[in-house]
Amino acid sequence: MLMGIAEEMASRQRAISVSEFFEKNRHLLGYDNKAKAMLMIVKEGVDNSLDAAEEACILPDIMVAVKEEAPEKFRITVGDNGPGIVEDQIPMIFGRLLYGSKFHRLKQQRGQQGLGISCAVLYSQLTTGMPTLISSSTGDGKTNRFSLKVDVAKNRPLIIEKSTEDGRVWHGVEATFVAECAYRENKQSVLEYLRQTAISNPFAEIVFDSPAGRFEFKRGVSRMPPQPKEILPHLHGVELGVLSRMLAATDAKTMLSFLMDEFSRVGKQSAYEILTKAGITKAGPGGKPEPDARFRPQRVTDEMAARIIEAVKSVKLIRPPLECLSPLGTELIESGLRKELAPEFVASVSRPPETYRGWPFQVEAGLAFGGSVKEFGLIRFANRVPLLYQQGICAISKSVDETDWRRYGVQMNKEVKDPLVVFVHLCSVWVPFTSESKEAIANYDIIIREIKLALQECARKLSLWLSGQRKSAMLVKRKSLFERYAGETAHALSTITGSSKDDIKKKIIDLVTHKWGEISAEEVSMDEMDKMDKIDKAERHGREDEAEDPESGE
Amino acid sequence: MLMGIAEEMASRQRAISVSEFFEKNRHLLGYDNKAKAMLMIVKEGVDNSLDAAEEACILPDIMVAVKEEAPEKFRITVGDNGPGIVEDQIPMIFGRLLYGSKFHRLKQQRGQQGLGISCAVLYSQLTTGMPTLISSSTGDGKTNRFSLKVDVAKNRPLIIEKSTEDGRVWHGVEATFVAECAYRENKQSVLEYLRQTAISNPFAEIVFDSPAGRFEFKRGVSRMPPQPKEILPHLHGVELGVLSRMLAATDAKTMLSFLMDEFSRVGKQSAYEILTKAGITKAGPGGKPEPDARFRPQRVTDEMAARIIEAVKSVKLIRPPLECLSPLGTELIESGLRKELAPEFVASVSRPPETYRGWPFQVEAGLAFGGSVKEFGLIRFANRVPLLYQQGICAISKSVDETDWRRYGVQMNKEVKDPLVVFVHLCSVWVPFTSESKEAIANYDIIIREIKLALQECARKLSLWLSGQRKSAMLVKRKSLFERYAGETAHALSTITGSSKDDIKKKIIDLVTHKWGEISAEEVSMDEMDKMDKIDKAERHGREDEAEDPESGE
């Protein structure tokens, strides 16, 4: 009887296509509700457009159009002037989940999974039954048009229509989705996403035709940032299973060339040290074991591979090369914050790169205080992409929460929060997101540490400025006090001395003005204060800077 | 030139196997750190064992063994007495991601993705290079043994060794993993997971051979809960893309039979109504349109399908059948809480089933207060499986946070929390988890509403008990006051009346005892108090019950 049950159970076993899986679990990809669905579709399109333009060194012109065709049914178009996609790749890129060029490359890119754009196609057909329309040209005068869906059971493109048109010379991609969505203009909307994208990609020109009219985000700089370069994997981040696979697949004839050519930062000395520690040795002169540099990778057993992984832990290797990263830099962060937020004070920092699991990453932070900034805000970016959801579980929020802002004179408790916008950008060859929807960064200790250090560095700058502000305010108050009583004082002195009351009053005011400058309580120039503050602080700057850092004593 | 770039970019496009994807993103499946990795492996094994035994109506005997073989390298075995797995299915179930019998079934089960156990194999080989060993028998005297890995690039099983042994008659599955892990005994450990599993599965016997010795969780009840039954999908939860696929694949010859036979709760009248509203009609007598019941499903266009989905929204359908669910019931919840926590007071509730996205679900809650419970705690379950991580983003935590506990006399603010354990169990044919690791429930409004209602219902019971407690405490205090002054009063009365002091004192004490029962401040019987409380409360129960519910006024 049990045999019967086991066989009956076996008869129900079957493979689940990755499309079926994500169709049913679409909230994992961010399609939890209609407003978010619109954001996801636009985001996947724009991220791909920016990646492609960047790779082809083209200053990106991005066009986004959103139009309500029926209640909750929207036509969403994303177009670019990138290099375009060759004809035979279009169906696979749009019609197959887990397909793409970015998953295996160690280089900072917006996309990394090969899931995003095909899931936008999947969501569209699921909710409206409509195929996605794609036009593309690579600049050869031919425009390829596809109308396609995802064949869910097979996870393959299902081409509904296909045509080629001659004559128009252009390059780029334009994709149109018809999906069940909702249009919003709140903090988690398409508009906000594009606004923040414009901050972190000032070299892009973005036009958004929304149901509420046209929004234009003008190009702020006309030079592309340096192209990040692809790097080889670093041994400190390679796990046994991956190493075994590389050993089986390599064309290298010897372990020495395998280690030196397929990984970054492994020199001959390091390779020898790894081989020796892993016991991949041969008898040298006098029977003494020496590293067997010519050992064939294909002959490495599972056990040897495990010893290599163990050996690597104790071998000092130079950090992975960093040209794979493309940080924004402090200049761009500050100009972006000033342009978009018009604050009174701005500070920023770009930390040196670090690594987690062998993958390089880098943290940048900025603070914008006062002025048009009226309340607390946090804006998060990963590889130049704004993160609008899941703030609660993000490593960035955690770092902000764990920073002791009081030490820097900043109020950040539940009841009172200073008017401060915190900006954090994490860039990496592989951002560890908490889910496929790429909304929050996983809580790796080293990442949190770096973010906190960046925030502290900015907070120190803010703290100096704030204490200067407070001193200036005090000076202004004291001066106005003197001025207020100048009349009475002059009257009293005039009675005693017999001198003219007006003369005495003028002298008192001259004295006050001479001592505290040409300022009045009504018209305090912030630049003035800044200057006073700087002079005042300059001498004890070094000392205080150290003392104010809560981490420095640890 | 652009053509060149587009072609170069195209040359790098490739498919990503689902194994590669989850290997690199293993934190999505819960493999973030070594302690959690151990929990995940045990959990996937035990959940599968319980599902299989339940399906075969076998009282489950589960064996878990964890042994440290080398620092941070553990041998983890999970064994059961279930129906076993037939020989040719073993490699696929353990060696292929997204393979299983549960994904497409609408029925409450612990597993639902076809990802868990194969990912445990994947994590093991990734960290130690070791294959997983599986033995199974279906009771036919043959034991099949496999040693296998996942072929990551192909997402297929890679069989290292395979043998069949005759003679031993048994049934079940035993799987042994060797993986990089860490052993803990904290609140998020294997031990805690098994302890909570024993609460929600009291019909299971669980033995755990841990590095710290043997733990046994004895079977509490020797009857299996009623088997949940598989149901058909409900039209209110079917989306257009899925409907189109069903239309194309159906064997039904007419739309009437398609609607009635492939969905639950669609009667003839409802089917006619849907067809009419969707415009799938023909000319009836006198040219009046009537529903075209014999329309062929294969002839339904995308547009018609969209109209069906639209029509369904306004057609009243009976809720999906609920025998697909297997709630615990209040008796089991309360006995579980009493047994494991020894509290002073317990309350529980099992809500009527509800549906989200057309999927039935049901919420159960329990509260355990005082006694051995010394601090606040939350224990969460989904389909009888304890959830130990990601509490912060779970719909259950959110519901607890949003409940106004003060109204029920319960302290639950940041500073002071009453000694209270909150228990919540959500069961559903498809639990919407926030990630593949199945640690937290997504924040669907209807789910949060149901959890809050369940918590409020329990909180009302607790509130009554608490106010009774306070009254009893007051009575005890008053009685002891009388007793304390009985001597002095007797002395005074004796002086006035001339009667014996001792006689008067005895009479006073008799009086007090008669009025307030045989209780003393030192030995307050809880049952006594409960009784007093009940009598006291009985008359105004109805009124207060309503008034105390913060939701009732909304």
Side-chain angles (χ1 to χ4, degrees), chain A residues 183-247:
Chain A
Y183 181 72
R184 300 272 181 279
E185 286 186 8
N186 60 11
K187 293 230 163 196
Q188 299 181 316
S189 63
V190 170
L191 185 60
E192 182 62 22
Y193 159 77
L194 293 176
R195 183 177 288 140
Q196 292 192 17
T197 300
I199 297 180
S200 56
N201 301 272
F203 47 86
E205 176 105 7
I206 305 174
V207 174
F208 176 32
D209 281 320
S210 85
R214 172 170 286 205
F215 296 90
E216 290 187 22
F217 301 92
K218 292 283 178 201
R219 184 169 286 131
V221 296
S222 57
R223 204 160 36 90
M224 294 291 282
Q227 258 271 55
K229 285 193 181 61
E230 192 174 346
I231 60 165
L232 293 169
H234 192 272
L235 266 171
H236 280 164
V238 170
E239 284 171 298
L240 183 49
V242 175
L243 177 69
S244 300
R245 215 150 64 230
M246 290 178 75
L247 283 164

Side-chain angles (χ1 to χ4, degrees), chain A residues 3 12 16 20 23-24 26-27 55 98 100 103-105 126 128 138 239 241 245 393 433 436, chain B residues 3 12 14 16 20 23-24 26-27 55 98 103-105 126 138 239 241 245 393 433 436:
Chain A
M3 184 66 198
R12 281 197 306 269
I16 300 141
E20 284 177 304
E23 184 185 67
K24 198 165 176 182
R26 59 192 163 81
H27 60 280
E55 181 135 18
L98 289 184
F103 186 82
H104 294 93
R105 298 183 83 190
L126 179 68
T128 67
T138 57
E239 284 171 298
R245 215 150 64 230
I393 54 165
F433 289 108
E436 286 87 344
Chain B
M3 185 64 199
R12 282 197 307 269
R14 45 161 291 200
I16 299 141
E20 283 177 306
E23 183 184 70
K24 199 165 176 183
R26 59 191 164 81
H27 59 279
E55 181 135 16
L98 289 184
F103 186 81
H104 294 93
R105 299 184 81 190
L126 178 69
T138 57
E239 283 170 298
R245 217 151 62 232
I393 55 166
F433 289 108
E436 287 88 342

Side-chain angles (χ1 to χ4, degrees), chain A residues 206-432:
Chain A
I206 305 174
V207 174
F208 176 32
D209 281 320
S210 85
R214 172 170 286 205
F215 296 90
E216 290 187 22
F217 301 92
K218 292 283 178 201
R219 184 169 286 131
V221 296
S222 57
R223 204 160 36 90
M224 294 291 282
Q227 258 271 55
K229 285 193 181 61
E230 192 174 346
I231 60 165
L232 293 169
H234 192 272
L235 266 171
H236 280 164
V238 170
E239 284 171 298
L240 183 49
V242 175
L243 177 69
S244 300
R245 215 150 64 230
M246 290 178 75
L247 283 164
T250 186
D251 292 328
K253 296 275 182 291
T254 69
M255 277 307 285
L256 186 68
S257 68
F258 172 72
L259 290 172
M260 289 178 64
D261 300 344
E262 307 215 355
F263 299 94
S264 62
R265 307 298 204 192
V266 180
K268 203 168 177 178
Q269 277 313 312
S270 306
Y272 279 173
E273 198 184 335
I274 292 166
L275 291 172
T276 307
K277 287 190 170 169
I280 300 176
T281 52
K282 60 179 183 184
K288 226 184 116 200
E290 62 178 32
D292 191 354
R294 306 188 63 185
F295 197 86
R296 291 188 48 144
Q298 290 73 14
R299 282 184 53 218
V300 172
T301 61
D302 281 354
E303 206 198 322
M304 284 175 179
R307 289 206 306 264
I308 292 174
I309 291 290
E310 208 41 50
V312 163
K313 290 180 190 165
S314 63
V315 171
K316 224 175 147 58
L317 296 169
I318 303 167
R319 273 185 190 179
L322 304 167
E323 65 265 28
C324 55
L325 298 179
S326 172
L328 293 164
T330 52
E331 202 180 315
L332 203 65
I333 295 171
E334 296 195 10
S335 70
L337 290 174
R338 279 192 205 282
K339 202 179 86 184
E340 295 295 324
L341 304 171
E344 219 177 311
F345 174 82
V346 159
S348 71
V349 65
S350 193
R351 296 274 311 161
E354 257 294 347
T355 61
Y356 82 95
R357 277 174 67 184
W359 288 318
F361 76 96
Q362 187 167 359
V363 171
E364 301 183 291
L367 297 179
F369 189 96
S372 298
V373 175
K374 298 294 180 205
E375 52 182 12
F376 176 77
L378 172 61
I379 48 181
R380 302 171 290 139
F381 294 85
N383 287 1
R384 296 175 185 263
V385 179
L387 309 179
L388 301 185
Y389 279 88
Q390 300 271 23
Q391 186 167 309
I393 54 165
C394 185
I396 293 176
S397 323
K398 196 171 183 217
S399 310
V400 171
D401 287 348
E402 289 178 2
T403 299
D404 187 358
W405 294 95
R406 273 175 317 166
R407 295 214 182 195
Y408 304 102
V410 178
Q411 298 222 59
M412 187 93 85
N413 48 48
K414 282 241 158 169
E415 290 75 38
V416 190
K417 282 195 168 69
D418 271 333
L420 175 69
V421 168
V422 178
F423 164 103
V424 178
H425 178 220
L426 176 103
C427 55
S428 177
V429 296
W430 181 259
V431 180

Side-chain angles (χ1 to χ4, degrees), chain B residues 472-481 519-521 524 529:
Chain B
S472 303
M474 217 176 59
L475 287 178
V476 168
K477 208 175 154 190
R478 205 183 289 173
K479 180 174 175 245
S480 87
L481 212 72
I519 49 173
S520 80
V524 183
M529 287 207 171

